[in-house]
């Protein structure tokens, strides 16, 4: 069984984080920033998911391996091979949303839900759109603390 998701998949501290949200919210820009900080790109724009025993594995379509598309750019950014992973387990989902209050933006405790991906319950953190550096910091922190 497979599933296709519009988003980005990044390996942060060895944990697969699926970035989701509406088009234009900043998923690829955040992925690019995290890759610049030394984390690994798995997939961008289109993430293919496959169930493997008790986990969900994410990977890029063949044409998208090592490529990152940023809105407003006609070309893809090529990522260095050592910063690309072919696949990884999806450990949790970071769902980027618009329209949250300033208090929610800078809250220490995020909204945590769960969602099913291919029949497996995956933790989901709801994060309001905010400066990329702040989002990246929060994702790195959560990658150490969650799962």
């Amino acid at each position: 069984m497979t599933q296709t998701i519009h988003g980005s998949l990044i390996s942060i501290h060895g944990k697969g984080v699926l970035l989701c949200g509406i088009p234009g919210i900043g998923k690829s820009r955040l992925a690019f920033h995290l890759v610049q900080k030394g984390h690994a790109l798995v997939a961008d724009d289109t993430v293919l998911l496959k169930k493997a025993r008790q986990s969900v594995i994410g990977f890029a379509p063949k044409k998208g391996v090592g490529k990152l598309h940023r809105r407003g750019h006609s070309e893809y950014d090529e990522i260095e091979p050592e910063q690309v992973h072919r696949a990884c387990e999806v450990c949790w989902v970071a769902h980027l949303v618009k329209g949250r209050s300033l208090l929610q933006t800078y809250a220490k405790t995020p909204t945590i839900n769960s969602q099913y991906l291919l029949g497996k319950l995956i933790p989901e953190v709801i994060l309001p759109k905010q400066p990329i550096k702040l989002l990246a910091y929060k994702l790195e922190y959560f990658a150490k603390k969650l799962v």
Side-chain angles (χ1 to χ4, degrees):
M1 182 182 343
T2 61
Q3 183 177 351
T4 302
I5 299 280
H6 172 74
S8 298
L9 181 58
I10 302 291
S11 177
I12 302 175
H13 302 305
K15 295 180 181 174
V17 180
L18 180 61
L19 306 177
C20 293
I22 62 171
I25 193 103
K27 300 175 295 293
S28 294
R29 188 167 166 235
L30 178 56
F32 184 76
H33 184 76
L34 287 162
V35 168
Q36 286 181 319
K37 291 186 76 171
H39 303 290
L41 174 71
V42 179
D44 181 57
D45 201 38
T46 302
V47 181
L48 303 176
L49 302 175
K50 176 176 72 172
K51 190 163 186 180
R53 295 189 183 153
Q54 298 300 315
S55 62
V56 175
I57 305 299
F59 55 98
K62 288 181 183 178
K63 291 182 180 179
V65 174
K67 294 182 179 176
L68 199 142
H69 182 262
R70 291 188 293 154
R71 195 173 215 71
H73 296 263
S74 59
E75 298 178 7
Y76 285 87
D77 288 313
E78 295 284 339
I79 304 301
E80 296 295 324
E82 62 272 6
Q83 289 185 285
V84 176
H85 289 181
R86 296 286 298 167
C88 74
E89 179 181 357
V90 177
C91 296
W92 54 283
V93 175
H95 195 113
L96 307 180
V97 297
K98 286 185 178 180
R100 297 295 176 113
S101 71
L102 195 60
L103 180 62
Q104 289 170 312
T105 299
Y106 294 97
K108 290 182 180 177
T109 308
T111 303
I112 299 178
N113 295 328
S114 296
Q115 72 167 273
Y116 282 97
L117 294 175
L118 297 174
K120 181 171 177 10
L121 197 58
I122 307 284
E124 175 186 50
V125 176
I126 310 295
L127 292 168
K129 186 174 179 176
Q130 52 201 275
I132 291 296
K133 287 182 181 181
L134 181 58
L135 273 174
Y137 170 79
K138 287 182 177 183
L139 291 178
E140 289 172 318
Y141 176 80
F142 299 145
K144 289 180 182 177
K145 300 294 181 187
L146 290 178
V147 182

